[in-house]
Amino acid sequence: MSEFSPKEIEAGRLLFARPWQFIKGCVRIDDLPPGDRLEIAFAGRSNVGKSSLINALTNRVNLARTSNTPGRTQELNIFEADDAPLRIVDMPGYGFAKAPKKTVEKWTRLIHAYLKGRATLRRVFVLIDGRHGPKAADETVMNELDTAAVSYQIVLTKADKPKAGELEKVIALTSKIVAKHPAAHPEMIITSSEKGIGMEELRATISRF
């Protein structure tokens, strides 16, 4: 994991100490805000803890909606802070989403169009459940990001759930898989939204942009 200076940790804290707000949900590329600031996006399987991570990252309880129903996020959800040079994009969960097939196909096309055509997109953070490691759907997304030449970085979520030995196995397995993907950042960020683990590192990583 990267070593961050106290200055970088503080820069990350200040970036996310701002009052972040939900701006809009976009169902079409034309709905997106103008490309007037850098963007980071969060992607992951349904129920990987994406909304919880965004809430923990921004120090908000209900900024991103959390749900036990897979596939609830069906839009590109946009979050901004008034004076931040950065925009957060929460992407629809993939995998076992409980939604009609046509709906899933529609938002899959939206995701692809966004990833391939958004010049301001700086990095996609691909969330993987720390209890299980990468699934087939995760590797499919990683392959697509490689093909689209979009920079991405793996964030392991729910790191407080498995036992230490089990977590180490998942980290080793995930690292081995990441090494095979050319567009993947070589370092993972290990997190727990519930315990606050890895939030400083994630904020500092983002603030480097």
Side-chain angles (χ1 to χ4, degrees):
M1 186 176 289
S2 289
E3 292 293 326
F4 296 99
S5 68
K7 186 176 181 181
E8 288 177 314
I9 294 291
E10 178 63 5
R13 187 191 71 79
L14 290 172
L15 177 61
F16 289 100
R18 294 171 166 89
W20 286 80
Q21 307 166 51
F22 170 72
I23 301 299
K24 65 191 299 191
C26 302
V27 296
R28 300 175 303 162
I29 289 297
D30 291 345
D31 295 337
L32 287 167
D36 56 355
R37 62 185 81 184
L38 294 179
E39 292 176 0
I40 57 164
F42 289 93
R45 288 189 301 118
S46 299
N47 279 9
V48 75
K50 194 154 43 70
S51 296
S52 296
L53 184 84
I54 292 172
N55 288 335
L57 181 71
T58 55
N59 298 298
R60 295 286 299 277
V61 177
N62 293 311
L63 180 64
R65 295 178 303 173
T66 58
S67 171
N68 291 324
T69 305
R72 181 170 176 179
T73 303
Q74 299 181 12
E75 307 168 329
L76 294 174
N77 287 326
I78 309 298
F79 303 94
E80 296 178 3
D82 287 343
D83 58 344
L86 181 78
R87 177 179 292 123
I88 296 172
V89 180
D90 180 16
M91 301 174 69
Y94 54 82
F96 49 91
K98 292 180 181 177
K101 186 179 179 182
K102 284 188 177 180
T103 302
V104 174
E105 288 174 350
K106 183 179 178 181
W107 87 60
T108 299
R109 288 195 298 271
L110 173 67
I111 290 169
H112 287 182
Y114 171 72
L115 291 175
K116 291 180 179 179
R118 194 67 169 171
T120 51
L121 178 60
R122 196 63 186 272
R123 182 167 295 174
V124 177
F125 290 94
V126 178
L127 276 54
I128 291 176
D129 194 319
R131 299 170 297 180
H132 311 301
K135 299 289 189 181
D138 297 312
E139 292 208 59
T140 297
V141 168
M142 292 166 74
N143 288 333
E144 290 176 359
L145 290 168
D146 290 336
T147 301
V150 174
S151 172
Y152 62 97
Q153 187 167 5
I154 302 301
V155 176
L156 283 186
T157 62
K158 306 181 183 182
D160 59 310
K161 303 301 183 187
K163 295 176 181 176
E166 293 169 353
L167 179 62
E168 291 305 318
K169 287 179 183 177
V170 169
I171 291 172
L173 170 66
T174 308
S175 296
K176 193 177 292 186
I177 291 170
V178 165
K180 300 175 183 176
H181 291 272
H185 192 281
E187 295 178 342
M188 285 182 294
I189 303 175
I190 316 301
T191 69
S192 163
S193 302
E194 196 173 306
K195 304 292 186 184
I197 296 167
M199 290 302 127
E200 277 193 351
E201 291 81 359
L202 182 56
R203 292 183 190 118
T205 297
I206 295 168
S207 74
R208 282 180 170 175
F209 300 139

